[in-house]
Amino acid sequence: REDLDVRMLLPPAGAASNRCAEEEQVGGRPFVCEVIDAHRMPSPYDLTVVTEVINRVDTYKKHLDVTDIIVDAGIASPNRPVSAENGERRRRYGCNPDGVDVACMSYCTSSSFKGLQAETENKVKHYGCAVWCEEPIKSQEELDARLGVAVPVKIYQSTPLRVLHRRASGVRTRHVLTLSARLVNEHWFALHLSTSAGTYVKEFVHGDCGRTKPSISSMLGCKTDILRLDCEGIAM
C-alpha cells in the first residue's frame, strides 16, 4: 500500500509523546497470513520462533543509516557529531538484511482478514520526509513562520501526474492532521506529519505542478522536492 521506494519503519524516538491518546498503538503495518490446508497447527511457541527467525534478533547490531540524519533531524550538529551512540535509531523490530521484520505474531479470526483493508483506509498514517527547498531558509524560526498553517488542514489533490495514466482523473479531499519541521541546513529540513489514509504525501510536499493545494511548496513559496519518504506507523 506504499510506493516501492517508501520504507515502513517504527516511529522515531520521542515521537509517541507528540501523539494523542487514541494514537498510542502506532507501529508497523498490520497484516494477516492465511495458510491453506496446513498439515499441523503451530503452537504459540512456534510463532515466537518464527518471529525470531524472521527478525534475526540474535544478530542485531547498532547501525547508523546516514539518511536517517535528515529524517531524524537534529542528530548531527557541529557540537554533536554523528556516532553510533547519538545517531542510532531503533526503527525496526529486528535486523533482517532483507528489510522485513515482524512483531506480535498470534492467531486471529477470519474476520480480521476480511476487514483488514477497510480498517486501514480509515486510520491515521504517520510519515517522515527528507525535504529539499530551492530557496535558502536561514533559521528554524523562519521555517516555522513559513509553514505556519493551522492544523488540521484540508488539502485538495488532483490525481497525481505520476499515476494519471492508470487512474481516473479527479480531485479528492484529504486532511493533514499534524505537521512539524526541523531545519537541518538552509536547503534541507525534516518533515514529520500525520494524514488521513489515501493522502499523496509526495505530492503534498512538492505540489505536483500545482495539482495539490495547499502544499509545502506553496507554503514556502519556492520549489521543493522530497528525497526520502518513510511511513512511520499506522494508528490502529
Side-chain angles (χ1 to χ4, degrees), residues 196-214:
S196 54
T199 302
Y200 290 108
V201 177
K202 292 177 180 177
E203 281 68 25
F204 173 66
V205 172
H206 58 60
D208 199 30
C209 300
R211 296 171 64 83
T212 290
K213 299 177 182 179

PDB file of all heavy atoms in Angstrom, residues 196-214:
ATOM      1  N   SER A 196      -4.743  11.696   6.882  1.00  0.00           N
ATOM      2  CA  SER A 196      -5.787  10.700   6.663  1.00  0.00           C
ATOM      3  C   SER A 196      -5.297   9.722   5.603  1.00  0.00           C
ATOM      4  O   SER A 196      -4.470  10.059   4.748  1.00  0.00           O
ATOM      5  CB  SER A 196      -7.084  11.376   6.219  1.00  0.00           C
ATOM      6  OG  SER A 196      -6.874  12.200   5.078  1.00  0.00           O
ATOM      7  N   ALA A 197      -5.788   8.489   5.678  1.00  0.00           N
ATOM      8  CA  ALA A 197      -5.368   7.466   4.726  1.00  0.00           C
ATOM      9  C   ALA A 197      -5.722   7.897   3.309  1.00  0.00           C
ATOM     10  O   ALA A 197      -6.764   8.509   3.069  1.00  0.00           O
ATOM     11  CB  ALA A 197      -6.035   6.140   5.057  1.00  0.00           C
ATOM     12  N   GLY A 198      -4.847   7.571   2.372  1.00  0.00           N
ATOM     13  CA  GLY A 198      -5.092   7.907   0.976  1.00  0.00           C
ATOM     14  C   GLY A 198      -4.481   9.212   0.526  1.00  0.00           C
ATOM     15  O   GLY A 198      -4.615   9.594  -0.641  1.00  0.00           O
ATOM     16  N   THR A 199      -3.793   9.905   1.422  1.00  0.00           N
ATOM     17  CA  THR A 199      -3.148  11.174   1.051  1.00  0.00           C
ATOM     18  C   THR A 199      -1.894  10.890   0.238  1.00  0.00           C
ATOM     19  O   THR A 199      -1.093  10.028   0.584  1.00  0.00           O
ATOM     20  CB  THR A 199      -2.765  11.968   2.311  1.00  0.00           C
ATOM     21  OG1 THR A 199      -3.940  12.212   3.091  1.00  0.00           O
ATOM     22  CG2 THR A 199      -2.113  13.295   1.944  1.00  0.00           C
ATOM     23  N   TYR A 200      -1.727  11.624  -0.849  1.00  0.00           N
ATOM     24  CA  TYR A 200      -0.492  11.541  -1.632  1.00  0.00           C
ATOM     25  C   TYR A 200       0.528  12.475  -0.990  1.00  0.00           C
ATOM     26  O   TYR A 200       0.531  13.685  -1.232  1.00  0.00           O
ATOM     27  CB  TYR A 200      -0.748  11.938  -3.085  1.00  0.00           C
ATOM     28  CG  TYR A 200      -1.566  10.946  -3.872  1.00  0.00           C
ATOM     29  CD1 TYR A 200      -2.877  11.230  -4.238  1.00  0.00           C
ATOM     30  CD2 TYR A 200      -1.026   9.724  -4.256  1.00  0.00           C
ATOM     31  CE1 TYR A 200      -3.636  10.320  -4.974  1.00  0.00           C
ATOM     32  CE2 TYR A 200      -1.772   8.809  -4.999  1.00  0.00           C
ATOM     33  CZ  TYR A 200      -3.070   9.110  -5.349  1.00  0.00           C
ATOM     34  OH  TYR A 200      -3.802   8.203  -6.081  1.00  0.00           O
ATOM     35  N   VAL A 201       1.407  11.906  -0.156  1.00  0.00           N
ATOM     36  CA  VAL A 201       2.326  12.718   0.637  1.00  0.00           C
ATOM     37  C   VAL A 201       3.401  13.359  -0.234  1.00  0.00           C
ATOM     38  O   VAL A 201       3.774  14.521  -0.034  1.00  0.00           O
ATOM     39  CB  VAL A 201       2.955  11.871   1.758  1.00  0.00           C
ATOM     40  CG1 VAL A 201       3.970  12.689   2.551  1.00  0.00           C
ATOM     41  CG2 VAL A 201       1.871  11.345   2.690  1.00  0.00           C
ATOM     42  N   LYS A 202       3.917  12.627  -1.204  1.00  0.00           N
ATOM     43  CA  LYS A 202       4.941  13.202  -2.082  1.00  0.00           C
ATOM     44  C   LYS A 202       4.408  14.447  -2.779  1.00  0.00           C
ATOM     45  O   LYS A 202       5.093  15.470  -2.876  1.00  0.00           O
ATOM     46  CB  LYS A 202       5.392  12.168  -3.117  1.00  0.00           C
ATOM     47  CG  LYS A 202       6.165  10.993  -2.541  1.00  0.00           C
ATOM     48  CD  LYS A 202       6.511   9.991  -3.625  1.00  0.00           C
ATOM     49  CE  LYS A 202       7.291   8.817  -3.077  1.00  0.00           C
ATOM     50  NZ  LYS A 202       7.587   7.788  -4.100  1.00  0.00           N
ATOM     51  N   GLU A 203       3.186  14.355  -3.261  1.00  0.00           N
ATOM     52  CA  GLU A 203       2.588  15.492  -3.960  1.00  0.00           C
ATOM     53  C   GLU A 203       2.284  16.638  -3.001  1.00  0.00           C
ATOM     54  O   GLU A 203       2.356  17.810  -3.384  1.00  0.00           O
ATOM     55  CB  GLU A 203       1.310  15.045  -4.671  1.00  0.00           C
ATOM     56  CG  GLU A 203       1.538  14.304  -5.989  1.00  0.00           C
ATOM     57  CD  GLU A 203       2.191  12.945  -5.821  1.00  0.00           C
ATOM     58  OE1 GLU A 203       2.062  12.350  -4.719  1.00  0.00           O
ATOM     59  OE2 GLU A 203       2.838  12.456  -6.766  1.00  0.00           O
ATOM     60  N   PHE A 204       1.957  16.317  -1.753  1.00  0.00           N
ATOM     61  CA  PHE A 204       1.754  17.375  -0.767  1.00  0.00           C
ATOM     62  C   PHE A 204       3.043  18.134  -0.516  1.00  0.00           C
ATOM     63  O   PHE A 204       3.029  19.337  -0.252  1.00  0.00           O
ATOM     64  CB  PHE A 204       1.242  16.783   0.545  1.00  0.00           C
ATOM     65  CG  PHE A 204       1.163  17.776   1.670  1.00  0.00           C
ATOM     66  CD1 PHE A 204       0.274  18.848   1.618  1.00  0.00           C
ATOM     67  CD2 PHE A 204       1.993  17.666   2.775  1.00  0.00           C
ATOM     68  CE1 PHE A 204       0.216  19.786   2.650  1.00  0.00           C
ATOM     69  CE2 PHE A 204       1.938  18.587   3.807  1.00  0.00           C
ATOM     70  CZ  PHE A 204       1.049  19.652   3.741  1.00  0.00           C
ATOM     71  N   VAL A 205       4.177  17.467  -0.647  1.00  0.00           N
ATOM     72  CA  VAL A 205       5.465  18.144  -0.437  1.00  0.00           C
ATOM     73  C   VAL A 205       5.821  19.012  -1.633  1.00  0.00           C
ATOM     74  O   VAL A 205       6.087  20.214  -1.486  1.00  0.00           O
ATOM     75  CB  VAL A 205       6.583  17.121  -0.159  1.00  0.00           C
ATOM     76  CG1 VAL A 205       7.949  17.821  -0.147  1.00  0.00           C
ATOM     77  CG2 VAL A 205       6.352  16.417   1.172  1.00  0.00           C
ATOM     78  N   HIS A 206       5.845  18.440  -2.852  1.00  0.00           N
ATOM     79  CA  HIS A 206       6.343  19.227  -3.994  1.00  0.00           C
ATOM     80  C   HIS A 206       5.239  19.922  -4.791  1.00  0.00           C
ATOM     81  O   HIS A 206       5.529  20.736  -5.678  1.00  0.00           O
ATOM     82  CB  HIS A 206       7.220  18.368  -4.921  1.00  0.00           C
ATOM     83  CG  HIS A 206       6.555  17.151  -5.494  1.00  0.00           C
ATOM     84  ND1 HIS A 206       5.438  17.199  -6.292  1.00  0.00           N
ATOM     85  CD2 HIS A 206       6.870  15.839  -5.383  1.00  0.00           C
ATOM     86  CE1 HIS A 206       5.105  15.993  -6.678  1.00  0.00           C
ATOM     87  NE2 HIS A 206       5.949  15.130  -6.117  1.00  0.00           N
ATOM     88  N   GLY A 207       3.983  19.623  -4.494  1.00  0.00           N
ATOM     89  CA  GLY A 207       2.886  20.352  -5.120  1.00  0.00           C
ATOM     90  C   GLY A 207       2.373  19.773  -6.413  1.00  0.00           C
ATOM     91  O   GLY A 207       1.286  20.145  -6.865  1.00  0.00           O
ATOM     92  N   ASP A 208       3.157  18.914  -7.067  1.00  0.00           N
ATOM     93  CA  ASP A 208       2.722  18.261  -8.303  1.00  0.00           C
ATOM     94  C   ASP A 208       2.260  19.275  -9.346  1.00  0.00           C
ATOM     95  O   ASP A 208       1.166  19.160  -9.910  1.00  0.00           O
ATOM     96  CB  ASP A 208       1.605  17.266  -7.993  1.00  0.00           C
ATOM     97  CG  ASP A 208       1.405  16.228  -9.095  1.00  0.00           C
ATOM     98  OD1 ASP A 208       2.399  15.899  -9.770  1.00  0.00           O
ATOM     99  OD2 ASP A 208       0.267  15.747  -9.261  1.00  0.00           O
ATOM    100  N   CYS A 209       3.102  20.274  -9.594  1.00  0.00           N
ATOM    101  CA  CYS A 209       2.802  21.308 -10.593  1.00  0.00           C
ATOM    102  C   CYS A 209       1.497  22.038 -10.273  1.00  0.00           C
ATOM    103  O   CYS A 209       0.719  22.390 -11.178  1.00  0.00           O
ATOM    104  CB  CYS A 209       2.753  20.717 -11.997  1.00  0.00           C
ATOM    105  SG  CYS A 209       4.293  19.947 -12.542  1.00  0.00           S
ATOM    106  N   GLY A 210       1.254  22.244  -9.007  1.00  0.00           N
ATOM    107  CA  GLY A 210       0.062  22.960  -8.590  1.00  0.00           C
ATOM    108  C   GLY A 210      -1.186  22.118  -8.480  1.00  0.00           C
ATOM    109  O   GLY A 210      -2.271  22.648  -8.213  1.00  0.00           O
ATOM    110  N   ARG A 211      -1.067  20.804  -8.628  1.00  0.00           N
ATOM    111  CA  ARG A 211      -2.239  19.935  -8.600  1.00  0.00           C
ATOM    112  C   ARG A 211      -2.657  19.565  -7.180  1.00  0.00           C
ATOM    113  O   ARG A 211      -3.750  19.050  -6.975  1.00  0.00           O
ATOM    114  CB  ARG A 211      -1.969  18.669  -9.428  1.00  0.00           C
ATOM    115  CG  ARG A 211      -1.759  18.976 -10.911  1.00  0.00           C
ATOM    116  CD  ARG A 211      -1.286  17.748 -11.669  1.00  0.00           C
ATOM    117  NE  ARG A 211      -2.273  16.677 -11.665  1.00  0.00           N
ATOM    118  CZ  ARG A 211      -3.300  16.596 -12.501  1.00  0.00           C
ATOM    119  NH1 ARG A 211      -3.490  17.551 -13.419  1.00  0.00           N
ATOM    120  NH2 ARG A 211      -4.137  15.576 -12.458  1.00  0.00           N
ATOM    121  N   THR A 212      -1.792  19.797  -6.192  1.00  0.00           N
ATOM    122  CA  THR A 212      -2.149  19.637  -4.780  1.00  0.00           C
ATOM    123  C   THR A 212      -2.106  21.010  -4.122  1.00  0.00           C
ATOM    124  O   THR A 212      -1.089  21.704  -4.176  1.00  0.00           O
ATOM    125  CB  THR A 212      -1.185  18.675  -4.064  1.00  0.00           C
ATOM    126  OG1 THR A 212      -1.392  17.336  -4.529  1.00  0.00           O
ATOM    127  CG2 THR A 212      -1.400  18.712  -2.558  1.00  0.00           C
ATOM    128  N   LYS A 213      -3.206  21.395  -3.485  1.00  0.00           N
ATOM    129  CA  LYS A 213      -3.320  22.715  -2.874  1.00  0.00           C
ATOM    130  C   LYS A 213      -3.965  22.596  -1.500  1.00  0.00           C
ATOM    131  O   LYS A 213      -5.033  21.967  -1.383  1.00  0.00           O
ATOM    132  CB  LYS A 213      -4.159  23.638  -3.756  1.00  0.00           C
ATOM    133  CG  LYS A 213      -3.579  23.858  -5.140  1.00  0.00           C
ATOM    134  CD  LYS A 213      -4.510  24.722  -5.975  1.00  0.00           C
ATOM    135  CE  LYS A 213      -3.969  24.922  -7.386  1.00  0.00           C
ATOM    136  NZ  LYS A 213      -4.874  25.734  -8.210  1.00  0.00           N
ATOM    137  N   PRO A 214      -3.350  23.208  -0.475  1.00  0.00           N
ATOM    138  CA  PRO A 214      -2.004  23.769  -0.475  1.00  0.00           C
ATOM    139  C   PRO A 214      -0.964  22.656  -0.420  1.00  0.00           C
ATOM    140  O   PRO A 214      -1.308  21.488  -0.233  1.00  0.00           O
ATOM    141  CB  PRO A 214      -1.994  24.602   0.808  1.00  0.00           C
ATOM    142  CG  PRO A 214      -2.916  23.874   1.729  1.00  0.00           C
ATOM    143  CD  PRO A 214      -4.004  23.327   0.848  1.00  0.00           C
TER     144      PRO A 214
END
